[in-house]
Amino acid sequence: MIEIKDLHKSYHMGSNSLHVLKGINFNVKEGELVSIMGSSGSGKSTLLNILGMLDEADEGQYILDGVPIKNLNEKIAAKYRNEFLGFIFQSFNLINYKSALDNVSMPLYYKGVKRKERTEKAMHYLEKVGLAQWSHHLPSELSGGQKQRVAIARALASDPKVLLADEPTGALDTKTSYEVMELIQGINDEGKTILVVTHEDDIAHMTKRIVNLKDGLIIDDSPVEQIRASAHV
Amino acid sequence: MFDLERWQEIFETLSKNKLRTFLTGLSVASGIFILVILLGFSEGIANGVKSQFEQDAANKISVWTGVTTKGYKGLNPGRYIQLKNSSFDAVENGYDDYLEYRTKDYMIWGGTVNYNNETGNYRVRGTMPDNQFIENADMGSGRFISQSDINESKKVAVIGNKIKTDLFKGEDPINENIQVFGMNFKVVGVFYDPGGDREEGQVYIPLTTAQKVFNAGENIRNMAFTVKMADDFDEAVAVSNAIALGVEQKIKEIHTVAPDDVSAVRVHNTLEQAQKFYSLIATIRAVFWFVGIGTIIAGIVGVGNIMLIIVKERTKEIGIRKALGALPMSIVGMILQESVFVTMFSGLFGLIFGLGLLELVGPLIESDFIKYPQVDFNIALSTVFLLVFAGALAGFVPAYRAAMIKPIDALRDE
Ligand SMILES: Nc1ncnc2c1ncn2[C@@H]1O[C@H](COP(=O)(O)OP(=O)(O)OP(=O)(O)O)[C@@H](O)[C@H]1O
Ligand SMILES: [Mg+2]
């Protein structure tokens, strides 16, 4: 599903430049649930943003579902973001003046789905994350865990090939974190490919494979025995 | 543009950001409103001044006399200058080629006029046939004084519409007899005058008749002429001025008045006066336009400013939308469509509100110098479109910039 080869990324600030990713190689097959770990500043988010086409690599190859992601025009990039990728952010990134339902239907709007169908689908995903009765609430009226579940429903709405979550539990307490992970595990069980950035060991062990980053390089990449989040709830 | 889904999205965004929508709309609506009112009143002033001049022919020169204030050629000051038929003849002969209409009048200010049991006090004015055109009088029915009335000193009268209403109570006055100071006059015509009641409260009789019945002999009170108009206004004013000056000199010469005695012989030149007023109107208009354009510029700057703030405020939202698969152009389109919709809607609102107010208040304004304040609808509409266009243009640049940056940079914006 995801193939990257020798990926490089530097940030330039004035005359300084910071080499963040120094040659990343890894592959993710369909249906995997991978966590990316590493200390702060190791380049986890940078990597995930490149995978999510929110940012671009300087060098290297990135192939998403057989399509090389390189120098795409905005139109195709938008289409891929919409149809291949679902994003879950640490800070939720919901649109604050839109209801939970409208937030979830947003990717469908950009996919060109008609209003009625959009609402039905969005409602379906809200049900899936257990928030059907909150559909008309604004993000400001929801708890952190609820907001993240809305964000997950939104990421799922356009039925993407890959879900990318950057510290999805970073702003949540332990109990809520496990609830969110339970949801993510459930989605993975249904066959979706998911990458989760985290720096919490317990969260990482709820995935099936842990990739460890250090100073812009992968230092370890090994499968783990998945711990079901439901065991903790 | 006509994508229903897009419009739904925009209405939702607007209705959920009421304050922002309201403030944008208010700045546009008030700009247009002020402009409409300003232009309306400048037009009203122009109309008011114009109507002052429409009372009489625009190219009129009139001659009045008074008492000398200066001694001249051995004559004492304090002499009343009495115009005669001969004074009129002298002017007429001297300037015949330049004159269009001419009249000499003899009038009684408060004449008692009766019809049956109705009585009123009106100005009774002996005049010449041409006076109809000099006064801009319109015949409602019948005819004006004719040359044969003059030649035969007939006892006929042309009455103003006000007198018809006062004395005849809706009856047809033509061929009825009225009594002026007890003398019978046959009504041959009824006239309207743009000067209104003041002018329409007059009885015109033939000059020769007036001179006879009031024992005036050869005396006249004043004379008036209109000058043949040149096509070019400035040239017309110049000719008119030259004639007015010449007439004044001639009258002064005939009646032995000092050339610099301003109260004994007064020559009033309407055209010159009109020119002064028209240039005043032009100045007023220019000032109002200046203020109006200033208002519009302020409005444009305001809208541009709001657009900048809106785009800045929505940078993160733009990042989110792009992460979800929005095209940059759909984002630019969204922001512009929103701004165009708001500015257009509120611009038209301000326009209609302004026009409505002029429509309501306009007729209530009782001033000689402001009449029918109104705005050229097309001009007002064009300014609305100008504002909308400028607002869109001012919004385009920041919207485009925000839509083109990498989603991650937009998302990072706080
Ligand atoms: N836009 C940017 N401009 C400059 N430097 C950046 C930018 N984004 C990230 N960096 C730097 O790149 C390095 C990697 O950042 P990144 O966000 O990928 O780290 P991370 O592994 O996600 O850390 P954390 O666990 O704290 O989220 C850091 O040193 C960071 O300061
Ligand atoms: Mg990070």
Side-chain angles (χ1 to χ4, degrees), chain A residues 117-149:
Chain A
E117 193 188 339
R118 213 157 69 209
T119 312
E120 276 169 13
K121 274 204 172 147
M123 203 60 207
H124 167 75
Y125 285 105
L126 273 180
E127 263 163 33
K128 200 176 168 85
V129 299
L131 287 177
Q133 69 272 44
W134 296 90
S135 63
H136 290 288
H137 288 247
L138 292 176
S140 57
E141 297 158 353
L142 301 173
S143 73
Q146 287 171 328
K147 277 189 243 189
Q148 197 57 296
R149 283 193 277 163

Side-chain angles (χ1 to χ4, degrees), chain A residues 9 11 49 53-56 74-79 81-82 85 87 89 91 93-99 102-103 106-107 109-111 113-116 118 138 154, chain B residues 3 5-10 12-14 16-17 20 314 316-317 319-328 330-331 334 338 403-409 411-412 414:
Chain A
K9 175 76 181 174
Y11 288 113
N49 291 334
M53 299 174 64
L54 300 181
D55 206 347
E56 281 165 29
E74 283 284 354
K75 203 166 177 170
I76 294 172
K79 189 175 149 72
R81 281 182 206 124
N82 183 259
L85 301 159
F87 254 97
F89 302 91
S91 54
N93 280 340
L94 298 174
I95 294 176
N96 57 19
Y97 62 83
K98 285 185 175 286
S99 69
D102 288 344
N103 265 288
M106 186 119 303
Y109 170 72
Y110 285 117
K111 199 175 184 172
V113 177
K114 289 274 161 277
R115 190 181 188 78
K116 192 162 171 291
R118 213 157 69 209
L138 292 176
R154 182 179 67 183
Chain B
D3 184 353
E5 296 274 327
R6 170 79 77 80
W7 279 113
Q8 277 167 341
E9 172 74 12
I10 282 167
E12 273 167 28
T13 309
L14 287 177
K16 281 169 185 163
N17 294 281
R20 186 174 83 198
R314 296 179 75 175
K316 186 162 190 166
E317 182 192 334
I320 297 172
R321 285 176 184 267
K322 282 193 76 174
L324 298 178
L327 279 168
S330 90
I331 286 170
M334 173 182 78
E338 263 181 53
M404 288 314 284
I405 61 173
K406 280 189 290 189
I408 191 65
D409 292 330
L411 280 170
R412 219 174 261 134
E414 281 308 326

Side-chain angles (χ1 to χ4, degrees), chain B residues 129-147:
Chain B
D130 279 3
N131 201 25
Q132 178 188 351
F133 307 106
I134 296 174
E135 287 286 346
N136 265 355
D138 242 354
M139 296 316 294
S141 56
R143 60 172 180 83
F144 201 73
I145 306 293
S146 71
Q147 192 57 46

Side-chain angles (χ1 to χ4, degrees), chain B residues 262-407:
Chain B
V262 288
S263 76
V265 175
R266 297 188 305 274
V267 176
H268 183 88
N269 184 350
T270 312
L271 208 54
E272 190 190 13
Q273 210 73 2
Q275 191 195 30
K276 280 182 190 153
F277 273 101
Y278 285 133
S279 76
L280 180 68
I281 291 173
T283 312
I284 292 171
R285 275 222 180 102
V287 168
F288 276 43
W289 264 109
F290 183 76
V291 175
I293 287 170
T295 313
I296 288 299
I297 289 173
I300 289 170
V301 171
V303 170
N305 218 344
I306 291 168
M307 291 304 297
L308 270 177
I309 293 167
I310 286 176
V311 171
K312 184 84 201 85
E313 190 185 84
R314 296 179 75 175
T315 302
K316 186 162 190 166
E317 182 192 334
I318 290 170
I320 297 172
R321 285 176 184 267
K322 282 193 76 174
L324 298 178
L327 279 168
M329 276 307 138
S330 90
I331 286 170
V332 175
M334 173 182 78
I335 291 173
L336 289 192
Q337 214 168 318
E338 263 181 53
S339 97
V340 166
F341 178 77
V342 172
T343 47
M344 180 77 84
F345 184 82
S346 48
L348 291 179
F349 181 81
L351 176 74
I352 290 167
F353 192 61
L355 290 177
L357 195 74
L358 286 181
E359 210 46 43
L360 277 179
V361 172
L364 302 180
I365 296 173
E366 299 251 354
S367 161
D368 280 350
F369 285 95
I370 301 178
K371 271 209 176 92
Y372 324 118
Q374 62 196 181
V375 181
D376 183 337
F377 187 75
N378 288 332
I379 289 180
L381 202 63
S382 316
T383 54
V384 172
F385 278 101
L386 182 71
L387 204 62
V388 168
F389 181 72
L393 205 64
F396 178 79
V397 178
Y400 184 77
R401 226 190 285 142
M404 288 314 284
I405 61 173
K406 280 189 290 189

Side-chain angles (χ1 to χ4, degrees), chain A:
Chain A
M1 180 62 68
I2 291 175
E3 296 166 55
I4 52 176
K5 276 196 199 101
D6 201 27
L7 203 72
H8 285 263
K9 175 76 181 174
S10 304
Y11 288 113
H12 304 277
M13 289 154 296
S15 55
N16 296 359
S17 97
L18 184 64
H19 202 174
V20 179
L21 299 180
K22 300 170 179 165
I24 304 279
N25 294 288
F26 88 132
N27 297 325
V28 178
K29 286 195 280 298
E30 189 168 357
E32 278 199 83
L33 174 53
V34 182
S35 58
I36 300 168
M37 291 198 73
S39 53
S40 187
S42 57
K44 305 183 295 290
S45 298
T46 306
L47 176 60
L48 201 75
N49 291 334
I50 291 170
L51 293 179
M53 299 174 64
L54 300 181
D55 206 347
E56 281 165 29
D58 299 332
E59 262 177 58
Q61 222 181 31
Y62 170 25
I63 297 170
L64 173 62
D65 198 32
V67 184
I69 306 298
K70 185 99 187 171
N71 299 331
L72 298 179
N73 70 34
E74 283 284 354
K75 203 166 177 170
I76 294 172
K79 189 175 149 72
Y80 286 3
R81 281 182 206 124
N82 183 259
E83 293 180 2
F84 289 1
L85 301 159
F87 254 97
I88 302 163
F89 302 91
Q90 179 176 357
S91 54
F92 322 124
N93 280 340
L94 298 174
I95 294 176
N96 57 19
Y97 62 83
K98 285 185 175 286
S99 69
L101 186 72
D102 288 344
N103 265 288
V104 176
S105 29
M106 186 119 303
L108 297 169
Y109 170 72
Y110 285 117
K111 199 175 184 172
V113 177
K114 289 274 161 277
R115 190 181 188 78
K116 192 162 171 291
E117 193 188 339
R118 213 157 69 209
T119 312
E120 276 169 13
K121 274 204 172 147
M123 203 60 207
H124 167 75
Y125 285 105
L126 273 180
E127 263 163 33
K128 200 176 168 85
V129 299
L131 287 177
Q133 69 272 44
W134 296 90
S135 63
H136 290 288
H137 288 247
L138 292 176
S140 57
E141 297 158 353
L142 301 173
S143 73
Q146 287 171 328
K147 277 189 243 189
Q148 197 57 296
R149 283 193 277 163
V150 172
I152 292 172
R154 182 179 67 183
L156 288 174
S158 62
D159 195 21
K161 294 186 166 22
V162 179
L163 270 196
L164 301 168
D166 192 354
E167 305 202 30
T169 61
L172 307 175
D173 64 24
T174 313
K175 184 174 173 292
T176 321
S177 296
Y178 291 163
E179 285 168 8
V180 166
M181 283 314 289
E182 193 187 353
L183 199 56
I184 288 176
Q185 285 179 337
I187 295 160
N188 176 243
D189 291 344
E190 290 169 15
K192 194 144 312 242
T193 315
I194 306 175
L195 273 76
V196 181
V197 165
T198 182
H199 53 250
E200 291 162 90
D201 261 333
D202 50 345
I203 299 295
H205 280 92
M206 290 176 180
T207 65
K208 295 169 174 172
R209 172 183 165 194
I210 300 178
V211 174
N212 233 309
L213 271 188
K214 191 174 182 220
D215 291 337
L217 286 167
I218 294 177
I219 52 162
D220 186 47
D221 182 348
S222 46
V224 290
E225 191 61 38
Q226 190 184 33
I227 297 170
R228 299 304 295 192
S230 51
H232 290 272
V233 183

Side-chain angles (χ1 to χ4, degrees), chain B residues 53-67:
Chain B
F53 286 100
E54 274 165 8
Q55 288 178 19
D56 297 332
N59 50 346
K60 174 178 164 183
I61 294 175
S62 56
V63 183
W64 295 81
T65 52
V67 173

